[in-house]
Amino acid sequence: RWNGTAFAWFQAVPSLGGADWEHFAVGGEDYLALANQEDDASPRVDSLVLRWSGTAFEPLLAVPTLGIFDWTAFALGGHTYLAAAFWSNGVTTALPSPLFRFQPATRTLVPHQNFSTHYATDWEFFPLPVHGRAELQPALAVANSQPGYNITVHFWNGCFF
């Protein structure tokens, strides 16, 4: 918390190999998604979504994840989405990385789409101009850190990327 001259300690959140924080807001409520990459034994650990109560961030959801490196949140078509970059499950690096849709009425994440990824480390959402179109085209890019797979860009078709 900002005390007027510097940031001061505010709250501790237990983590298992925390790799990333992502803030998102829905319906006037603030959330933080915590990417828990692995514990001492396995990359199969739950990541967390926390909700701001007005005084602290409180655990809301435990999300099963596999060596997650990154969360990216974005709003599109009246919905809020969270993309998870899965790095490894301890056996393979060729993993489907999921895109979730946040349901504000129930405060839950529902699976929306999976992407073929290889050592995924980062997602970015952005609009792109596309030749012959007046409007910008929503795009979602994933960085695959395994040699030969690089970055892939996916375009929104109105329902899926």
Side-chain angles (χ1 to χ4, degrees):
R1 182 173 289 207
W2 185 252
N3 68 14
T5 58
F7 283 102
W9 183 91
F10 173 70
Q11 178 181 357
V13 176
S15 173
L16 297 169
D20 184 52
W21 281 111
E22 182 75 10
H23 170 267
F24 63 102
V26 179
E29 294 188 322
D30 288 285
Y31 301 88
L32 282 177
L34 168 62
N36 278 325
Q37 191 176 42
E38 62 186 339
D39 63 14
D40 290 336
S42 172
R44 293 177 181 269
V45 296
D46 287 345
S47 290
L48 301 175
V49 174
L50 302 106
R51 182 180 161 272
W52 178 247
S53 70
T55 58
F57 281 99
E58 298 176 351
L60 175 67
L61 300 171
V63 183
T65 54
L66 297 170
I68 185 172
F69 236 75
D70 177 65
W71 282 115
T72 295
F74 59 92
L76 180 61
H79 299 285
T80 299
Y81 296 90
L82 278 170
F86 284 2
W87 188 71
S88 173
N89 65 5
V91 177
T92 183
T93 60
L95 298 173
S97 288
L99 176 66
F100 297 97
R101 189 176 65 247
F102 185 77
Q103 300 286 64
T106 56
R107 294 185 180 132
T108 56
L109 291 175
V110 295
H112 183 75
Q113 184 176 352
N114 281 318
F115 297 86
S116 176
T117 59
H118 302 267
Y119 273 133
T121 57
D122 190 37
W123 284 103
E124 290 298 326
F125 173 79
F126 51 95
L128 276 178
V130 176
H131 182 71
R133 295 180 143 204
E135 72 280 353
L136 295 175
Q137 180 71 30
L140 187 62
V142 62
N144 292 292
S145 61
Q146 184 168 333
Y149 290 95
N150 303 315
I151 295 170
T152 57
V153 179
H154 307 270
F155 286 104
W156 182 250
N157 69 10
C159 296
F160 299 98
F161 284 96

